[in-house]
Amino acid sequence: MNAMFRLVATTQKARYPKDLGYPEQLLLRSIRLWVVGYRLENSPEDRLAKAFEAAGIELGRQRFEEFMVAITAGAARSLGIHCACHEEIGEDEYQLLDILRLSQPDFGAGQCRFLLEDLLTVAALPIAAVKAQALALAFNDAGYTLLGLRPQAYLGGTLDHSQKRDSYH
């Protein structure tokens, strides 16, 4: 019964950043910081480097930067990215998180291309897909799995630790 409930619940979208797991919160805040920082001509590189370093994601900032450059360079339309203090998750923000979730090796890497088609030009798709896979792999190598919702959010509980798993190497 729990497995079936969990399977159904994974199709729900988190409405608020607090409903996301730690790695997704880090990504959402990084996306918002990156977009707002460059829009205001205030490079967020130092803050992003510290955040990814604190999370133990060795190539995180570099892979994140590559992913965001691929997304912005190949965007077929304006994307709705909120400021860091916005209380709800926007559709485009959630789609970027889904792209990264589907880019993980355990989730059939490459499936992200279907979601990328809504955001990018045809020419940008292969590059952005590779960059999404590299970023997702950096999270996986650091022991994180991107789930979309906090595991306890499925059952209405609370989460007081990150969803970091034991490393396999």
Side-chain angles (χ1 to χ4, degrees):
M1 180 83 169
N2 267 350
M4 184 182 284
F5 180 73
R6 289 175 64 107
L7 181 62
V8 172
T10 59
T11 62
Q12 294 178 355
K13 287 188 176 183
R15 184 172 175 191
Y16 303 104
K18 66 178 181 168
D19 295 331
L20 296 171
Y22 173 75
E24 292 87 359
Q25 286 183 21
L26 173 61
L27 283 167
L28 178 62
R29 289 182 181 140
S30 297
I31 290 167
R32 290 175 172 183
L33 179 66
W34 193 88
V35 170
V36 171
Y38 281 109
R39 182 176 264 174
L40 299 175
E41 297 179 9
N42 183 12
S43 174
E45 285 186 29
D46 289 341
R47 292 176 67 190
L48 290 172
K50 288 178 186 174
F52 283 107
E53 184 180 320
I57 305 169
E58 193 172 314
L59 296 174
R61 193 217 42 89
Q62 178 184 345
R63 298 293 184 240
F64 175 77
E65 180 86 16
E66 293 168 354
F67 172 70
M68 291 302 293
V69 167
I71 294 294
T72 56
R77 61 178 178 81
S78 294
L79 302 182
I81 306 297
H82 298 291
C83 67
C85 63
H86 194 77
E87 292 186 14
E88 292 188 25
I89 302 169
E91 286 297 316
D92 288 337
E93 293 170 328
Y94 204 88
Q95 189 162 350
L96 290 173
L97 295 175
D98 276 346
I99 287 165
L100 293 169
R101 183 178 55 81
L102 291 173
S103 297
Q104 296 174 106
D106 295 344
F107 288 77
Q111 298 299 318
C112 67
R113 292 181 74 117
F114 298 111
L115 292 176
L116 285 167
E117 288 175 356
D118 182 47
L119 303 177
L120 304 178
T121 62
V122 174
L125 282 173
I127 296 167
V130 168
K131 299 304 180 184
Q133 291 170 5
L135 179 55
L137 188 59
F139 271 80
N140 282 179
D141 286 348
Y144 294 102
T145 301
L146 304 170
L147 297 174
L149 283 175
R150 299 186 315 184
Q152 285 74 5
Y154 301 139
L155 304 174
T158 60
L159 185 68
D160 57 359
H161 62 282
S162 71
Q163 51 197 53
K164 190 167 182 174
R165 61 176 163 75
D166 292 331
S167 178
Y168 294 115
H169 19 337

mmCIF file with all atom_site columns, all heavy atoms in Angstrom, residues 8-29:
data_model
loop_
_atom_site.group_PDB
_atom_site.id
_atom_site.type_symbol
_atom_site.label_atom_id
_atom_site.label_alt_id
_atom_site.label_comp_id
_atom_site.label_asym_id
_atom_site.label_entity_id
_atom_site.label_seq_id
_atom_site.pdbx_PDB_ins_code
_atom_site.Cartn_x
_atom_site.Cartn_y
_atom_site.Cartn_z
_atom_site.occupancy
_atom_site.B_iso_or_equiv
_atom_site.pdbx_formal_charge
_atom_site.auth_seq_id
_atom_site.auth_comp_id
_atom_site.auth_asym_id
_atom_site.auth_atom_id
_atom_site.pdbx_PDB_model_num
ATOM 1   N N   . VAL A 1 8  ? 2.063  7.147  -6.682  1.00 0.00 ? 8  VAL A N   1
ATOM 2   C CA  . VAL A 1 8  ? 1.069  8.142  -7.071  1.00 0.00 ? 8  VAL A CA  1
ATOM 3   C C   . VAL A 1 8  ? 1.514  9.522  -6.618  1.00 0.00 ? 8  VAL A C   1
ATOM 4   O O   . VAL A 1 8  ? 1.412  10.490 -7.355  1.00 0.00 ? 8  VAL A O   1
ATOM 5   C CB  . VAL A 1 8  ? -0.312 7.789  -6.472  1.00 0.00 ? 8  VAL A CB  1
ATOM 6   C CG1 . VAL A 1 8  ? -1.297 8.909  -6.701  1.00 0.00 ? 8  VAL A CG1 1
ATOM 7   C CG2 . VAL A 1 8  ? -0.820 6.500  -7.085  1.00 0.00 ? 8  VAL A CG2 1
ATOM 8   N N   . ALA A 1 9  ? 2.063  9.620  -5.413  1.00 0.00 ? 9  ALA A N   1
ATOM 9   C CA  . ALA A 1 9  ? 2.433  10.904 -4.845  1.00 0.00 ? 9  ALA A CA  1
ATOM 10  C C   . ALA A 1 9  ? 3.599  11.544 -5.586  1.00 0.00 ? 9  ALA A C   1
ATOM 11  O O   . ALA A 1 9  ? 3.724  12.758 -5.588  1.00 0.00 ? 9  ALA A O   1
ATOM 12  C CB  . ALA A 1 9  ? 2.776  10.755 -3.369  1.00 0.00 ? 9  ALA A CB  1
ATOM 13  N N   . THR A 1 10 ? 4.460  10.760 -6.236  1.00 0.00 ? 10 THR A N   1
ATOM 14  C CA  . THR A 1 10 ? 5.609  11.347 -6.914  1.00 0.00 ? 10 THR A CA  1
ATOM 15  C C   . THR A 1 10 ? 5.199  12.183 -8.112  1.00 0.00 ? 10 THR A C   1
ATOM 16  O O   . THR A 1 10 ? 5.983  12.955 -8.606  1.00 0.00 ? 10 THR A O   1
ATOM 17  C CB  . THR A 1 10 ? 6.617  10.274 -7.362  1.00 0.00 ? 10 THR A CB  1
ATOM 18  O OG1 . THR A 1 10 ? 5.954  9.364  -8.230  1.00 0.00 ? 10 THR A OG1 1
ATOM 19  C CG2 . THR A 1 10 ? 7.222  9.561  -6.185  1.00 0.00 ? 10 THR A CG2 1
ATOM 20  N N   . THR A 1 11 ? 3.971  12.047 -8.583  1.00 0.00 ? 11 THR A N   1
ATOM 21  C CA  . THR A 1 11 ? 3.522  12.864 -9.701  1.00 0.00 ? 11 THR A CA  1
ATOM 22  C C   . THR A 1 11 ? 3.080  14.249 -9.238  1.00 0.00 ? 11 THR A C   1
ATOM 23  O O   . THR A 1 11 ? 2.846  15.115 -10.052 1.00 0.00 ? 11 THR A O   1
ATOM 24  C CB  . THR A 1 11 ? 2.353  12.189 -10.444 1.00 0.00 ? 11 THR A CB  1
ATOM 25  O OG1 . THR A 1 11 ? 1.246  12.043 -9.552  1.00 0.00 ? 11 THR A OG1 1
ATOM 26  C CG2 . THR A 1 11 ? 2.775  10.846 -10.994 1.00 0.00 ? 11 THR A CG2 1
ATOM 27  N N   . GLN A 1 12 ? 2.965  14.466 -7.946  1.00 0.00 ? 12 GLN A N   1
ATOM 28  C CA  . GLN A 1 12 ? 2.600  15.775 -7.424  1.00 0.00 ? 12 GLN A CA  1
ATOM 29  C C   . GLN A 1 12 ? 3.781  16.728 -7.561  1.00 0.00 ? 12 GLN A C   1
ATOM 30  O O   . GLN A 1 12 ? 4.931  16.324 -7.498  1.00 0.00 ? 12 GLN A O   1
ATOM 31  C CB  . GLN A 1 12 ? 2.221  15.687 -5.951  1.00 0.00 ? 12 GLN A CB  1
ATOM 32  C CG  . GLN A 1 12 ? 0.980  14.898 -5.692  1.00 0.00 ? 12 GLN A CG  1
ATOM 33  C CD  . GLN A 1 12 ? 0.704  14.808 -4.199  1.00 0.00 ? 12 GLN A CD  1
ATOM 34  O OE1 . GLN A 1 12 ? 1.498  15.253 -3.382  1.00 0.00 ? 12 GLN A OE1 1
ATOM 35  N NE2 . GLN A 1 12 ? -0.420 14.235 -3.852  1.00 0.00 ? 12 GLN A NE2 1
ATOM 36  N N   . LYS A 1 13 ? 3.473  17.995 -7.728  1.00 0.00 ? 13 LYS A N   1
ATOM 37  C CA  . LYS A 1 13 ? 4.521  18.998 -7.769  1.00 0.00 ? 13 LYS A CA  1
ATOM 38  C C   . LYS A 1 13 ? 4.595  19.700 -6.422  1.00 0.00 ? 13 LYS A C   1
ATOM 39  O O   . LYS A 1 13 ? 3.577  19.987 -5.814  1.00 0.00 ? 13 LYS A O   1
ATOM 40  C CB  . LYS A 1 13 ? 4.218  20.029 -8.851  1.00 0.00 ? 13 LYS A CB  1
ATOM 41  C CG  . LYS A 1 13 ? 4.423  19.525 -10.242 1.00 0.00 ? 13 LYS A CG  1
ATOM 42  C CD  . LYS A 1 13 ? 4.286  20.653 -11.226 1.00 0.00 ? 13 LYS A CD  1
ATOM 43  C CE  . LYS A 1 13 ? 4.594  20.164 -12.615 1.00 0.00 ? 13 LYS A CE  1
ATOM 44  N NZ  . LYS A 1 13 ? 4.532  21.241 -13.596 1.00 0.00 ? 13 LYS A NZ  1
ATOM 45  N N   . ALA A 1 14 ? 5.822  19.955 -6.010  1.00 0.00 ? 14 ALA A N   1
ATOM 46  C CA  . ALA A 1 14 ? 6.014  20.756 -4.803  1.00 0.00 ? 14 ALA A CA  1
ATOM 47  C C   . ALA A 1 14 ? 5.612  22.187 -5.140  1.00 0.00 ? 14 ALA A C   1
ATOM 48  O O   . ALA A 1 14 ? 5.966  22.710 -6.185  1.00 0.00 ? 14 ALA A O   1
ATOM 49  C CB  . ALA A 1 14 ? 7.474  20.700 -4.368  1.00 0.00 ? 14 ALA A CB  1
ATOM 50  N N   . ARG A 1 15 ? 4.868  22.802 -4.264  1.00 0.00 ? 15 ARG A N   1
ATOM 51  C CA  . ARG A 1 15 ? 4.428  24.169 -4.505  1.00 0.00 ? 15 ARG A CA  1
ATOM 52  C C   . ARG A 1 15 ? 5.389  25.185 -3.898  1.00 0.00 ? 15 ARG A C   1
ATOM 53  O O   . ARG A 1 15 ? 5.564  26.268 -4.422  1.00 0.00 ? 15 ARG A O   1
ATOM 54  C CB  . ARG A 1 15 ? 3.034  24.349 -3.920  1.00 0.00 ? 15 ARG A CB  1
ATOM 55  C CG  . ARG A 1 15 ? 2.450  25.698 -4.198  1.00 0.00 ? 15 ARG A CG  1
ATOM 56  C CD  . ARG A 1 15 ? 1.016  25.781 -3.789  1.00 0.00 ? 15 ARG A CD  1
ATOM 57  N NE  . ARG A 1 15 ? 0.546  27.146 -3.984  1.00 0.00 ? 15 ARG A NE  1
ATOM 58  C CZ  . ARG A 1 15 ? -0.591 27.595 -3.531  1.00 0.00 ? 15 ARG A CZ  1
ATOM 59  N NH1 . ARG A 1 15 ? -1.397 26.789 -2.872  1.00 0.00 ? 15 ARG A NH1 1
ATOM 60  N NH2 . ARG A 1 15 ? -0.947 28.826 -3.740  1.00 0.00 ? 15 ARG A NH2 1
ATOM 61  N N   . TYR A 1 16 ? 5.992  24.805 -2.791  1.00 0.00 ? 16 TYR A N   1
ATOM 62  C CA  . TYR A 1 16 ? 6.872  25.708 -2.066  1.00 0.00 ? 16 TYR A CA  1
ATOM 63  C C   . TYR A 1 16 ? 8.275  25.108 -2.001  1.00 0.00 ? 16 TYR A C   1
ATOM 64  O O   . TYR A 1 16 ? 8.432  23.899 -1.902  1.00 0.00 ? 16 TYR A O   1
ATOM 65  C CB  . TYR A 1 16 ? 6.357  25.931 -0.642  1.00 0.00 ? 16 TYR A CB  1
ATOM 66  C CG  . TYR A 1 16 ? 4.943  26.455 -0.607  1.00 0.00 ? 16 TYR A CG  1
ATOM 67  C CD1 . TYR A 1 16 ? 3.877  25.627 -0.279  1.00 0.00 ? 16 TYR A CD1 1
ATOM 68  C CD2 . TYR A 1 16 ? 4.676  27.778 -0.937  1.00 0.00 ? 16 TYR A CD2 1
ATOM 69  C CE1 . TYR A 1 16 ? 2.574  26.101 -0.267  1.00 0.00 ? 16 TYR A CE1 1
ATOM 70  C CE2 . TYR A 1 16 ? 3.376  28.263 -0.928  1.00 0.00 ? 16 TYR A CE2 1
ATOM 71  C CZ  . TYR A 1 16 ? 2.330  27.422 -0.591  1.00 0.00 ? 16 TYR A CZ  1
ATOM 72  O OH  . TYR A 1 16 ? 1.055  27.899 -0.590  1.00 0.00 ? 16 TYR A OH  1
ATOM 73  N N   . PRO A 1 17 ? 9.313  25.958 -2.003  1.00 0.00 ? 17 PRO A N   1
ATOM 74  C CA  . PRO A 1 17 ? 10.676 25.431 -1.898  1.00 0.00 ? 17 PRO A CA  1
ATOM 75  C C   . PRO A 1 17 ? 10.900 24.528 -0.693  1.00 0.00 ? 17 PRO A C   1
ATOM 76  O O   . PRO A 1 17 ? 11.636 23.557 -0.768  1.00 0.00 ? 17 PRO A O   1
ATOM 77  C CB  . PRO A 1 17 ? 11.530 26.711 -1.810  1.00 0.00 ? 17 PRO A CB  1
ATOM 78  C CG  . PRO A 1 17 ? 10.734 27.721 -2.561  1.00 0.00 ? 17 PRO A CG  1
ATOM 79  C CD  . PRO A 1 17 ? 9.290  27.395 -2.231  1.00 0.00 ? 17 PRO A CD  1
ATOM 80  N N   . LYS A 1 18 ? 10.228 24.817 0.416   1.00 0.00 ? 18 LYS A N   1
ATOM 81  C CA  . LYS A 1 18 ? 10.412 23.992 1.622   1.00 0.00 ? 18 LYS A CA  1
ATOM 82  C C   . LYS A 1 18 ? 9.920  22.551 1.413   1.00 0.00 ? 18 LYS A C   1
ATOM 83  O O   . LYS A 1 18 ? 10.292 21.656 2.162   1.00 0.00 ? 18 LYS A O   1
ATOM 84  C CB  . LYS A 1 18 ? 9.701  24.620 2.816   1.00 0.00 ? 18 LYS A CB  1
ATOM 85  C CG  . LYS A 1 18 ? 8.191  24.628 2.669   1.00 0.00 ? 18 LYS A CG  1
ATOM 86  C CD  . LYS A 1 18 ? 7.494  25.207 3.865   1.00 0.00 ? 18 LYS A CD  1
ATOM 87  C CE  . LYS A 1 18 ? 5.994  25.130 3.591   1.00 0.00 ? 18 LYS A CE  1
ATOM 88  N NZ  . LYS A 1 18 ? 5.170  25.377 4.679   1.00 0.00 ? 18 LYS A NZ  1
ATOM 89  N N   . ASP A 1 19 ? 9.083  22.313 0.405   1.00 0.00 ? 19 ASP A N   1
ATOM 90  C CA  . ASP A 1 19 ? 8.598  20.970 0.113   1.00 0.00 ? 19 ASP A CA  1
ATOM 91  C C   . ASP A 1 19 ? 9.601  20.143 -0.676  1.00 0.00 ? 19 ASP A C   1
ATOM 92  O O   . ASP A 1 19 ? 9.411  18.954 -0.864  1.00 0.00 ? 19 ASP A O   1
ATOM 93  C CB  . ASP A 1 19 ? 7.279  21.028 -0.677  1.00 0.00 ? 19 ASP A CB  1
ATOM 94  C CG  . ASP A 1 19 ? 6.152  21.649 0.129   1.00 0.00 ? 19 ASP A CG  1
ATOM 95  O OD1 . ASP A 1 19 ? 6.175  21.531 1.370   1.00 0.00 ? 19 ASP A OD1 1
ATOM 96  O OD2 . ASP A 1 19 ? 5.268  22.264 -0.487  1.00 0.00 ? 19 ASP A OD2 1
ATOM 97  N N   . LEU A 1 20 ? 10.644 20.786 -1.163  1.00 0.00 ? 20 LEU A N   1
ATOM 98  C CA  . LEU A 1 20 ? 11.678 20.105 -1.916  1.00 0.00 ? 20 LEU A CA  1
ATOM 99  C C   . LEU A 1 20 ? 12.710 19.497 -0.980  1.00 0.00 ? 20 LEU A C   1
ATOM 100 O O   . LEU A 1 20 ? 12.902 19.972 0.134   1.00 0.00 ? 20 LEU A O   1
ATOM 101 C CB  . LEU A 1 20 ? 12.386 21.089 -2.857  1.00 0.00 ? 20 LEU A CB  1
ATOM 102 C CG  . LEU A 1 20 ? 11.553 21.722 -3.953  1.00 0.00 ? 20 LEU A CG  1
ATOM 103 C CD1 . LEU A 1 20 ? 12.357 22.820 -4.636  1.00 0.00 ? 20 LEU A CD1 1
ATOM 104 C CD2 . LEU A 1 20 ? 11.082 20.687 -4.948  1.00 0.00 ? 20 LEU A CD2 1
ATOM 105 N N   . GLY A 1 21 ? 13.408 18.490 -1.457  1.00 0.00 ? 21 GLY A N   1
ATOM 106 C CA  . GLY A 1 21 ? 14.528 17.933 -0.719  1.00 0.00 ? 21 GLY A CA  1
ATOM 107 C C   . GLY A 1 21 ? 15.717 18.881 -0.784  1.00 0.00 ? 21 GLY A C   1
ATOM 108 O O   . GLY A 1 21 ? 15.730 19.855 -1.554  1.00 0.00 ? 21 GLY A O   1
ATOM 109 N N   . TYR A 1 22 ? 16.734 18.603 0.011   1.00 0.00 ? 22 TYR A N   1
ATOM 110 C CA  . TYR A 1 22 ? 17.906 19.480 0.076   1.00 0.00 ? 22 TYR A CA  1
ATOM 111 C C   . TYR A 1 22 ? 18.557 19.732 -1.286  1.00 0.00 ? 22 TYR A C   1
ATOM 112 O O   . TYR A 1 22 ? 18.810 20.891 -1.645  1.00 0.00 ? 22 TYR A O   1
ATOM 113 C CB  . TYR A 1 22 ? 18.934 18.914 1.073   1.00 0.00 ? 22 TYR A CB  1
ATOM 114 C CG  . TYR A 1 22 ? 20.233 19.673 1.053   1.00 0.00 ? 22 TYR A CG  1
ATOM 115 C CD1 . TYR A 1 22 ? 20.325 20.923 1.645   1.00 0.00 ? 22 TYR A CD1 1
ATOM 116 C CD2 . TYR A 1 22 ? 21.345 19.150 0.419   1.00 0.00 ? 22 TYR A CD2 1
ATOM 117 C CE1 . TYR A 1 22 ? 21.509 21.638 1.614   1.00 0.00 ? 22 TYR A CE1 1
ATOM 118 C CE2 . TYR A 1 22 ? 22.535 19.855 0.380   1.00 0.00 ? 22 TYR A CE2 1
ATOM 119 C CZ  . TYR A 1 22 ? 22.614 21.089 0.973   1.00 0.00 ? 22 TYR A CZ  1
ATOM 120 O OH  . TYR A 1 22 ? 23.781 21.788 0.929   1.00 0.00 ? 22 TYR A OH  1
ATOM 121 N N   . PRO A 1 23 ? 18.832 18.693 -2.100  1.00 0.00 ? 23 PRO A N   1
ATOM 122 C CA  . PRO A 1 23 ? 19.506 18.983 -3.374  1.00 0.00 ? 23 PRO A CA  1
ATOM 123 C C   . PRO A 1 23 ? 18.660 19.844 -4.315  1.00 0.00 ? 23 PRO A C   1
ATOM 124 O O   . PRO A 1 23 ? 19.190 20.710 -5.011  1.00 0.00 ? 23 PRO A O   1
ATOM 125 C CB  . PRO A 1 23 ? 19.787 17.610 -3.976  1.00 0.00 ? 23 PRO A CB  1
ATOM 126 C CG  . PRO A 1 23 ? 19.091 16.617 -3.143  1.00 0.00 ? 23 PRO A CG  1
ATOM 127 C CD  . PRO A 1 23 ? 18.661 17.270 -1.881  1.00 0.00 ? 23 PRO A CD  1
ATOM 128 N N   . GLU A 1 24 ? 17.347 19.636 -4.307  1.00 0.00 ? 24 GLU A N   1
ATOM 129 C CA  . GLU A 1 24 ? 16.478 20.446 -5.160  1.00 0.00 ? 24 GLU A CA  1
ATOM 130 C C   . GLU A 1 24 ? 16.403 21.888 -4.655  1.00 0.00 ? 24 GLU A C   1
ATOM 131 O O   . GLU A 1 24 ? 16.338 22.826 -5.444  1.00 0.00 ? 24 GLU A O   1
ATOM 132 C CB  . GLU A 1 24 ? 15.074 19.843 -5.234  1.00 0.00 ? 24 GLU A CB  1
ATOM 133 C CG  . GLU A 1 24 ? 15.009 18.525 -5.972  1.00 0.00 ? 24 GLU A CG  1
ATOM 134 C CD  . GLU A 1 24 ? 15.295 17.323 -5.076  1.00 0.00 ? 24 GLU A CD  1
ATOM 135 O OE1 . GLU A 1 24 ? 15.566 17.495 -3.877  1.00 0.00 ? 24 GLU A OE1 1
ATOM 136 O OE2 . GLU A 1 24 ? 15.253 16.202 -5.600  1.00 0.00 ? 24 GLU A OE2 1
ATOM 137 N N   . GLN A 1 25 ? 16.411 22.070 -3.328  1.00 0.00 ? 25 GLN A N   1
ATOM 138 C CA  . GLN A 1 25 ? 16.430 23.427 -2.779  1.00 0.00 ? 25 GLN A CA  1
ATOM 139 C C   . GLN A 1 25 ? 17.723 24.141 -3.182  1.00 0.00 ? 25 GLN A C   1
ATOM 140 O O   . GLN A 1 25 ? 17.699 25.313 -3.555  1.00 0.00 ? 25 GLN A O   1
ATOM 141 C CB  . GLN A 1 25 ? 16.307 23.403 -1.258  1.00 0.00 ? 25 GLN A CB  1
ATOM 142 C CG  . GLN A 1 25 ? 14.927 23.071 -0.766  1.00 0.00 ? 25 GLN A CG  1
ATOM 143 C CD  . GLN A 1 25 ? 14.833 23.121 0.758   1.00 0.00 ? 25 GLN A CD  1
ATOM 144 O OE1 . GLN A 1 25 ? 15.637 23.755 1.428   1.00 0.00 ? 25 GLN A OE1 1
ATOM 145 N NE2 . GLN A 1 25 ? 13.843 22.436 1.295   1.00 0.00 ? 25 GLN A NE2 1
ATOM 146 N N   . LEU A 1 26 ? 18.838 23.431 -3.112  1.00 0.00 ? 26 LEU A N   1
ATOM 147 C CA  . LEU A 1 26 ? 20.120 24.005 -3.523  1.00 0.00 ? 26 LEU A CA  1
ATOM 148 C C   . LEU A 1 26 ? 20.062 24.414 -4.993  1.00 0.00 ? 26 LEU A C   1
ATOM 149 O O   . LEU A 1 26 ? 20.494 25.514 -5.361  1.00 0.00 ? 26 LEU A O   1
ATOM 150 C CB  . LEU A 1 26 ? 21.251 22.994 -3.289  1.00 0.00 ? 26 LEU A CB  1
ATOM 151 C CG  . LEU A 1 26 ? 22.629 23.372 -3.827  1.00 0.00 ? 26 LEU A CG  1
ATOM 152 C CD1 . LEU A 1 26 ? 23.139 24.662 -3.185  1.00 0.00 ? 26 LEU A CD1 1
ATOM 153 C CD2 . LEU A 1 26 ? 23.609 22.227 -3.594  1.00 0.00 ? 26 LEU A CD2 1
ATOM 154 N N   . LEU A 1 27 ? 19.519 23.554 -5.837  1.00 0.00 ? 27 LEU A N   1
ATOM 155 C CA  . LEU A 1 27 ? 19.425 23.878 -7.261  1.00 0.00 ? 27 LEU A CA  1
ATOM 156 C C   . LEU A 1 27 ? 18.486 25.057 -7.516  1.00 0.00 ? 27 LEU A C   1
ATOM 157 O O   . LEU A 1 27 ? 18.812 25.948 -8.298  1.00 0.00 ? 27 LEU A O   1
ATOM 158 C CB  . LEU A 1 27 ? 18.960 22.657 -8.055  1.00 0.00 ? 27 LEU A CB  1
ATOM 159 C CG  . LEU A 1 27 ? 20.024 21.607 -8.295  1.00 0.00 ? 27 LEU A CG  1
ATOM 160 C CD1 . LEU A 1 27 ? 19.405 20.311 -8.804  1.00 0.00 ? 27 LEU A CD1 1
ATOM 161 C CD2 . LEU A 1 27 ? 21.065 22.127 -9.279  1.00 0.00 ? 27 LEU A CD2 1
ATOM 162 N N   . LEU A 1 28 ? 17.326 25.058 -6.882  1.00 0.00 ? 28 LEU A N   1
ATOM 163 C CA  . LEU A 1 28 ? 16.374 26.149 -7.086  1.00 0.00 ? 28 LEU A CA  1
ATOM 164 C C   . LEU A 1 28 ? 16.976 27.484 -6.652  1.00 0.00 ? 28 LEU A C   1
ATOM 165 O O   . LEU A 1 28 ? 16.905 28.480 -7.381  1.00 0.00 ? 28 LEU A O   1
ATOM 166 C CB  . LEU A 1 28 ? 15.078 25.876 -6.323  1.00 0.00 ? 28 LEU A CB  1
ATOM 167 C CG  . LEU A 1 28 ? 14.020 26.987 -6.428  1.00 0.00 ? 28 LEU A CG  1
ATOM 168 C CD1 . LEU A 1 28 ? 13.564 27.188 -7.867  1.00 0.00 ? 28 LEU A CD1 1
ATOM 169 C CD2 . LEU A 1 28 ? 12.832 26.671 -5.519  1.00 0.00 ? 28 LEU A CD2 1
ATOM 170 N N   . ARG A 1 29 ? 17.584 27.506 -5.476  1.00 0.00 ? 29 ARG A N   1
ATOM 171 C CA  . ARG A 1 29 ? 18.213 28.750 -5.001  1.00 0.00 ? 29 ARG A CA  1
ATOM 172 C C   . ARG A 1 29 ? 19.357 29.169 -5.920  1.00 0.00 ? 29 ARG A C   1
ATOM 173 O O   . ARG A 1 29 ? 19.553 30.362 -6.175  1.00 0.00 ? 29 ARG A O   1
ATOM 174 C CB  . ARG A 1 29 ? 18.698 28.579 -3.568  1.00 0.00 ? 29 ARG A CB  1
ATOM 175 C CG  . ARG A 1 29 ? 17.554 28.516 -2.593  1.00 0.00 ? 29 ARG A CG  1
ATOM 176 C CD  . ARG A 1 29 ? 18.017 28.387 -1.173  1.00 0.00 ? 29 ARG A CD  1
ATOM 177 N NE  . ARG A 1 29 ? 16.876 28.296 -0.292  1.00 0.00 ? 29 ARG A NE  1
ATOM 178 C CZ  . ARG A 1 29 ? 16.810 27.489 0.748   1.00 0.00 ? 29 ARG A CZ  1
ATOM 179 N NH1 . ARG A 1 29 ? 17.827 26.714 1.044   1.00 0.00 ? 29 ARG A NH1 1
ATOM 180 N NH2 . ARG A 1 29 ? 15.730 27.457 1.496   1.00 0.00 ? 29 ARG A NH2 1
#
